[in-house]
């Protein structure tokens, strides 16, 4: 294809720059949602970290999702990007359009892509991969009896791994409401640097029956891999949110070239097979925290109580992937101003973790 005429060194260099920019942007978005204290309405209106200074961003997944589904989702268009029948000519035509657009950018700006924002095309997938799964969570999250094998509430785990929702909701929001300003959503595929696949792999894993989930994974895989943009790059410019280590497991091998959004790398092979994940292509994004937001008043009140240098509360013994953690526990046990303790789930565990972090 014509795109292969670009020197490989230039393509590789450009891809690394774009991936670096995108990773920094995603991490920035995570912190915007969860770390910044709310704006003070009485403060000066000249400088604000949010598009709407009097309305700070929502940090509760449940509250944000409720508002999204009952207000914004009502205006959702039913059309999608489903490919009915794909011919080789379709891929070639897309490649020609993409190549022409890239050459315009390269010749039009000597500093391309440094002067350009990251351009992301968000696929419009059928509702069964997106909105229907969000509604499923919304209609069942109060069922507290639904637990994993280790006793963790299923819906709390989904919330912890909800970075896919926060990213998607920001990308598809009206430009005036978006937080992530250095990533631009484009509506023509040939203008995109990256393609975001908005499939909620964690919700489907935990809330669907096993065979139903596997079937939906296969359908999502076929839907994405039928796209001309996928066939052109073999998925190397596609972003998959696979943020829970158990999700999308049955079909991962078919999308190993893609950019994965992960909670960690797990080099032991317990969660990801060798060759599936790599620091060269994948991004590690933080968990959504299970503690209350510490606003400006909270920071002021807790500042004088900060007597701990390092605090950790969580599982001290993990599977094969916890070797480094166990060594840190051994090395730091008894060290001055260091608190390392076994964590527990539930409201008491949350309160203890929150108290410790604020010290």
């Amino acid at each position: 294809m014509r795109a292969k005429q670009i020197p490989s060194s230039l393509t590789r260099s450009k891809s690394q720059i774009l991936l670096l920019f995108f990773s920094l942007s995603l991490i920035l978005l995570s912190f915007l949602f969860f770390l910044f204290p709310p704006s003070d309405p009485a403060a000066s209106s000249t400088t604000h970290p949010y598009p709407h200074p009097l309305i700070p961003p929502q940090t509760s997944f449940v509250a944000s999702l409720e508002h999204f589904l009952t207000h914004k989702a009502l205006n959702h268009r039913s059309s999608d990007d489903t490919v009915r029948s794909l011919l080789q000519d379709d891929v070639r035509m897309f490649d020609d359009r993409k190549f022409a657009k890239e050459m315009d950018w390269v010749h039009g700006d000597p500093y391309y892509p440094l002067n350009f924002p990251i351009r992301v095309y968000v696929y419009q997938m059928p509702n069964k991969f997106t909105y229907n799964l969000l509604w499923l969570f919304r209609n069942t999250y109060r069922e507290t009896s639904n637990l994993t094998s280790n006793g963790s509430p299923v819906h709390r785990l989904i919330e912890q791994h909800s970075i896919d929702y926060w990213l998607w909701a920001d990308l598809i929001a009206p430009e005036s409401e978006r937080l992530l300003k250095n990533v631009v959503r484009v509506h023509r595929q040939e203008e995109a640097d990256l393609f975001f696949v908005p499939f909620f792999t964690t919700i489907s894993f935990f809330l669907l029956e096993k065979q139903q989930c596997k079937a939906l994974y296969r359908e999502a895989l076929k839907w994405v891999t039928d796209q001309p943009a996928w066939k052109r790059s073999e998925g190397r410019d596609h972003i998959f949110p696979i943020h829970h280590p158990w999700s999308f497991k049955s079909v991962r091998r078919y999308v190993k070239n893609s950019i994965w959004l992960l909670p960690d790398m797990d080099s032991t092979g317990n969660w990801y097979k060798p060759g599936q994940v790599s620091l060269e292509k994948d991004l590690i994004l933080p968990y959504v925290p299970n503690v209350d937001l510490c606003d400006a008043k909270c920071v002021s009140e807790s500042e004088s109580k900060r007597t701990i240098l390092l605090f950790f509360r969580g599982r001290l013994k993990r599977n094969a992937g916890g070797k480094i953690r166990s060594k840190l526990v051994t090395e730091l046990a008894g060290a001055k101003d260091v608190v390392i303790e076994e964590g527990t789930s539930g409201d008491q565990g949350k309160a203890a973790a929150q108290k410790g972090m604020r010290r």
Side-chain angles (χ1 to χ4, degrees), residues 23-57:
S23 61
L24 293 175
S25 301
L26 295 185
I27 293 172
L28 173 63
L29 177 62
S30 302
F31 285 110
L32 278 172
F33 272 122
F34 306 116
L35 297 188
F36 281 119
S39 301
D40 182 0
S44 169
S45 60
T46 55
T47 304
H48 292 281
Y50 313 120
H52 304 287
L54 300 183
I55 308 175

Short mmCIF file of all heavy atoms in Angstrom, two decimals, residues 23-57:
data_model
loop_
_atom_site.label_atom_id
_atom_site.label_comp_id
_atom_site.label_asym_id
_atom_site.label_seq_id
_atom_site.Cartn_x
_atom_site.Cartn_y
_atom_site.Cartn_z
N SER A 23 -0.06 9.20 25.95
CA SER A 23 0.03 8.64 27.30
C SER A 23 0.03 9.74 28.35
O SER A 23 -0.66 9.64 29.36
CB SER A 23 1.30 7.78 27.43
OG SER A 23 2.45 8.57 27.22
N LEU A 24 0.79 10.80 28.09
CA LEU A 24 0.78 11.92 29.03
C LEU A 24 -0.59 12.55 29.12
O LEU A 24 -1.04 12.96 30.19
CB LEU A 24 1.82 12.97 28.58
CG LEU A 24 3.29 12.53 28.68
CD1 LEU A 24 4.20 13.59 28.10
CD2 LEU A 24 3.68 12.26 30.12
N SER A 25 -1.29 12.63 27.99
CA SER A 25 -2.62 13.24 27.98
C SER A 25 -3.61 12.42 28.79
O SER A 25 -4.41 12.95 29.55
CB SER A 25 -3.13 13.37 26.53
OG SER A 25 -2.26 14.17 25.77
N LEU A 26 -3.57 11.10 28.64
CA LEU A 26 -4.50 10.24 29.37
C LEU A 26 -4.25 10.31 30.87
O LEU A 26 -5.18 10.36 31.67
CB LEU A 26 -4.38 8.79 28.89
CG LEU A 26 -4.79 8.51 27.46
CD1 LEU A 26 -4.73 7.02 27.19
CD2 LEU A 26 -6.17 9.03 27.16
N ILE A 27 -2.97 10.30 31.25
CA ILE A 27 -2.66 10.39 32.67
C ILE A 27 -3.11 11.73 33.22
O ILE A 27 -3.64 11.83 34.32
CB ILE A 27 -1.15 10.17 32.89
CG1 ILE A 27 -0.79 8.70 32.54
CG2 ILE A 27 -0.75 10.47 34.33
CD1 ILE A 27 0.68 8.42 32.52
N LEU A 28 -2.92 12.80 32.44
CA LEU A 28 -3.38 14.12 32.85
C LEU A 28 -4.89 14.11 33.07
O LEU A 28 -5.39 14.68 34.05
CB LEU A 28 -3.02 15.16 31.79
CG LEU A 28 -3.59 16.57 32.01
CD1 LEU A 28 -3.05 17.16 33.30
CD2 LEU A 28 -3.25 17.47 30.83
N LEU A 29 -5.63 13.49 32.18
CA LEU A 29 -7.09 13.44 32.33
C LEU A 29 -7.47 12.73 33.62
O LEU A 29 -8.37 13.17 34.34
CB LEU A 29 -7.72 12.72 31.15
CG LEU A 29 -9.24 12.52 31.22
CD1 LEU A 29 -9.94 13.87 31.26
CD2 LEU A 29 -9.74 11.69 30.06
N SER A 30 -6.77 11.63 33.94
CA SER A 30 -7.07 10.90 35.16
C SER A 30 -6.91 11.80 36.38
O SER A 30 -7.75 11.82 37.28
CB SER A 30 -6.14 9.69 35.30
OG SER A 30 -6.27 8.86 34.17
N PHE A 31 -5.82 12.55 36.41
CA PHE A 31 -5.58 13.42 37.55
C PHE A 31 -6.56 14.59 37.58
O PHE A 31 -6.96 15.05 38.64
CB PHE A 31 -4.14 13.93 37.53
CG PHE A 31 -3.16 12.89 37.96
CD1 PHE A 31 -2.28 12.33 37.06
CD2 PHE A 31 -3.14 12.44 39.27
CE1 PHE A 31 -1.39 11.36 37.44
CE2 PHE A 31 -2.26 11.47 39.66
CZ PHE A 31 -1.38 10.91 38.76
N LEU A 32 -6.97 15.10 36.41
CA LEU A 32 -7.96 16.17 36.38
C LEU A 32 -9.26 15.73 37.04
O LEU A 32 -9.90 16.48 37.77
CB LEU A 32 -8.24 16.60 34.94
CG LEU A 32 -7.24 17.57 34.32
CD1 LEU A 32 -7.55 17.74 32.83
CD2 LEU A 32 -7.26 18.92 35.00
N PHE A 33 -9.64 14.49 36.80
CA PHE A 33 -10.89 14.00 37.35
C PHE A 33 -10.82 13.80 38.86
O PHE A 33 -11.77 14.05 39.57
CB PHE A 33 -11.27 12.66 36.70
CG PHE A 33 -12.08 12.82 35.45
CD1 PHE A 33 -11.61 12.28 34.26
CD2 PHE A 33 -13.28 13.49 35.46
CE1 PHE A 33 -12.35 12.41 33.09
CE2 PHE A 33 -14.03 13.62 34.30
CZ PHE A 33 -13.56 13.08 33.12
N PHE A 34 -9.66 13.34 39.35
CA PHE A 34 -9.66 12.85 40.71
C PHE A 34 -8.78 13.62 41.70
O PHE A 34 -8.95 13.47 42.89
CB PHE A 34 -9.24 11.38 40.72
CG PHE A 34 -10.08 10.54 39.82
CD1 PHE A 34 -9.53 9.90 38.72
CD2 PHE A 34 -11.43 10.43 40.06
CE1 PHE A 34 -10.32 9.17 37.89
CE2 PHE A 34 -12.23 9.68 39.22
CZ PHE A 34 -11.67 9.04 38.14
N LEU A 35 -7.84 14.40 41.21
CA LEU A 35 -6.90 15.01 42.14
C LEU A 35 -7.13 16.48 42.42
O LEU A 35 -6.82 16.96 43.49
CB LEU A 35 -5.46 14.81 41.63
CG LEU A 35 -5.01 13.35 41.53
CD1 LEU A 35 -3.54 13.29 41.21
CD2 LEU A 35 -5.26 12.61 42.83
N PHE A 36 -7.61 17.24 41.43
CA PHE A 36 -7.80 18.67 41.64
C PHE A 36 -8.96 18.93 42.59
O PHE A 36 -10.03 18.36 42.44
CB PHE A 36 -8.07 19.40 40.33
CG PHE A 36 -6.84 19.64 39.51
CD1 PHE A 36 -6.72 19.08 38.25
CD2 PHE A 36 -5.81 20.40 40.01
CE1 PHE A 36 -5.59 19.31 37.49
CE2 PHE A 36 -4.68 20.62 39.26
CZ PHE A 36 -4.57 20.08 38.01
N PRO A 37 -8.77 19.83 43.58
CA PRO A 37 -9.90 20.19 44.43
C PRO A 37 -10.90 21.02 43.66
O PRO A 37 -10.54 21.70 42.70
CB PRO A 37 -9.23 21.02 45.54
CG PRO A 37 -7.99 21.56 44.92
CD PRO A 37 -7.53 20.51 43.95
N PRO A 38 -12.18 21.00 44.05
CA PRO A 38 -13.19 21.79 43.35
C PRO A 38 -12.88 23.27 43.41
O PRO A 38 -12.29 23.76 44.36
CB PRO A 38 -14.48 21.46 44.11
CG PRO A 38 -14.20 20.16 44.80
CD PRO A 38 -12.74 20.17 45.11
N SER A 39 -13.32 24.01 42.40
CA SER A 39 -13.11 25.43 42.33
C SER A 39 -13.97 26.14 43.37
O SER A 39 -15.07 25.73 43.68
CB SER A 39 -13.46 25.96 40.93
OG SER A 39 -12.68 25.33 39.97
N ASP A 40 -13.45 27.23 43.90
CA ASP A 40 -14.18 28.06 44.84
C ASP A 40 -14.97 29.09 44.06
O ASP A 40 -14.40 29.92 43.36
CB ASP A 40 -13.19 28.74 45.79
CG ASP A 40 -13.90 29.61 46.84
OD1 ASP A 40 -15.14 29.66 46.80
OD2 ASP A 40 -13.20 30.21 47.67
N PRO A 41 -16.33 29.10 44.17
CA PRO A 41 -17.13 30.04 43.40
C PRO A 41 -16.78 31.49 43.69
O PRO A 41 -16.97 32.37 42.86
CB PRO A 41 -18.57 29.73 43.85
CG PRO A 41 -18.51 28.33 44.33
CD PRO A 41 -17.16 28.16 44.93
N ALA A 42 -16.24 31.76 44.92
CA ALA A 42 -15.92 33.12 45.27
C ALA A 42 -14.56 33.56 44.75
O ALA A 42 -14.19 34.72 44.84
CB ALA A 42 -15.96 33.29 46.80
N ALA A 43 -13.80 32.60 44.23
CA ALA A 43 -12.45 32.93 43.76
C ALA A 43 -12.51 33.70 42.46
O ALA A 43 -13.53 33.78 41.80
CB ALA A 43 -11.64 31.65 43.61
N SER A 44 -11.36 34.23 42.08
CA SER A 44 -11.28 35.00 40.84
C SER A 44 -11.62 34.12 39.65
O SER A 44 -11.27 32.95 39.60
CB SER A 44 -9.87 35.57 40.68
OG SER A 44 -9.69 36.08 39.39
N SER A 45 -12.31 34.67 38.68
CA SER A 45 -12.73 33.90 37.51
C SER A 45 -11.72 33.97 36.38
O SER A 45 -11.98 33.51 35.29
CB SER A 45 -14.08 34.44 37.02
OG SER A 45 -13.95 35.80 36.66
N THR A 46 -10.55 34.49 36.65
CA THR A 46 -9.57 34.66 35.57
C THR A 46 -8.87 33.36 35.23
O THR A 46 -8.54 33.12 34.08
CB THR A 46 -8.53 35.71 35.98
OG1 THR A 46 -7.94 35.32 37.23
CG2 THR A 46 -9.19 37.07 36.14
N THR A 47 -8.64 32.49 36.22
CA THR A 47 -7.91 31.25 35.95
C THR A 47 -8.64 30.10 36.61
O THR A 47 -8.85 30.11 37.82
CB THR A 47 -6.47 31.33 36.50
OG1 THR A 47 -5.83 32.46 35.93
CG2 THR A 47 -5.72 30.05 36.13
N HIS A 48 -9.01 29.11 35.81
CA HIS A 48 -9.71 27.94 36.34
C HIS A 48 -9.22 26.70 35.61
O HIS A 48 -8.99 26.74 34.41
CB HIS A 48 -11.23 28.07 36.16
CG HIS A 48 -11.84 29.15 37.01
ND1 HIS A 48 -12.10 28.98 38.34
CD2 HIS A 48 -12.22 30.42 36.69
CE1 HIS A 48 -12.63 30.10 38.83
NE2 HIS A 48 -12.71 30.97 37.85
N PRO A 49 -9.06 25.57 36.33
CA PRO A 49 -8.64 24.34 35.68
C PRO A 49 -9.75 23.66 34.91
O PRO A 49 -9.51 22.66 34.25
CB PRO A 49 -8.17 23.47 36.87
CG PRO A 49 -9.00 23.94 38.02
CD PRO A 49 -9.21 25.43 37.79
N TYR A 50 -11.00 24.13 35.01
CA TYR A 50 -12.12 23.47 34.37
C TYR A 50 -12.76 24.37 33.32
O TYR A 50 -12.70 25.59 33.41
CB TYR A 50 -13.18 23.09 35.40
CG TYR A 50 -12.64 22.42 36.62
CD1 TYR A 50 -12.81 22.97 37.89
CD2 TYR A 50 -11.92 21.22 36.51
CE1 TYR A 50 -12.29 22.33 39.00
CE2 TYR A 50 -11.41 20.61 37.62
CZ TYR A 50 -11.59 21.15 38.87
OH TYR A 50 -11.09 20.53 39.97
N PRO A 51 -13.43 23.79 32.33
CA PRO A 51 -14.12 24.60 31.34
C PRO A 51 -15.21 25.46 31.96
O PRO A 51 -15.47 26.56 31.52
CB PRO A 51 -14.74 23.55 30.39
CG PRO A 51 -13.94 22.31 30.61
CD PRO A 51 -13.49 22.35 32.04
N HIS A 52 -15.90 24.94 33.00
CA HIS A 52 -16.95 25.69 33.68
C HIS A 52 -16.52 25.90 35.12
O HIS A 52 -16.66 24.99 35.95
CB HIS A 52 -18.28 24.93 33.61
CG HIS A 52 -18.69 24.61 32.21
ND1 HIS A 52 -19.17 25.55 31.35
CD2 HIS A 52 -18.66 23.44 31.53
CE1 HIS A 52 -19.44 24.98 30.18
NE2 HIS A 52 -19.14 23.71 30.27
N PRO A 53 -16.00 27.09 35.49
CA PRO A 53 -15.39 27.29 36.80
C PRO A 53 -16.34 27.08 37.97
O PRO A 53 -15.91 26.72 39.05
CB PRO A 53 -14.90 28.74 36.73
CG PRO A 53 -15.67 29.38 35.62
CD PRO A 53 -15.92 28.28 34.64
N LEU A 54 -17.66 27.29 37.77
CA LEU A 54 -18.59 27.13 38.87
C LEU A 54 -19.09 25.70 39.01
O LEU A 54 -19.79 25.37 39.96
CB LEU A 54 -19.77 28.09 38.70
CG LEU A 54 -19.42 29.58 38.67
CD1 LEU A 54 -20.68 30.42 38.56
CD2 LEU A 54 -18.62 29.98 39.90
N ILE A 55 -18.76 24.84 38.03
CA ILE A 55 -19.22 23.45 38.07
C ILE A 55 -18.00 22.53 37.96
O ILE A 55 -17.55 22.21 36.87
CB ILE A 55 -20.20 23.14 36.92
CG1 ILE A 55 -21.33 24.18 36.89
CG2 ILE A 55 -20.77 21.74 37.07
CD1 ILE A 55 -22.26 24.02 35.72
N PRO A 56 -17.42 22.14 39.09
CA PRO A 56 -16.23 21.27 39.03
C PRO A 56 -16.59 19.91 38.45
O PRO A 56 -17.75 19.48 38.52
CB PRO A 56 -15.81 21.15 40.50
CG PRO A 56 -17.05 21.45 41.28
CD PRO A 56 -17.82 22.45 40.46
N PRO A 57 -15.63 19.20 37.90
CA PRO A 57 -15.91 17.89 37.30
C PRO A 57 -16.45 16.91 38.33
O PRO A 57 -16.08 16.94 39.50
CB PRO A 57 -14.55 17.43 36.78
CG PRO A 57 -13.71 18.64 36.72
CD PRO A 57 -14.22 19.57 37.76
#
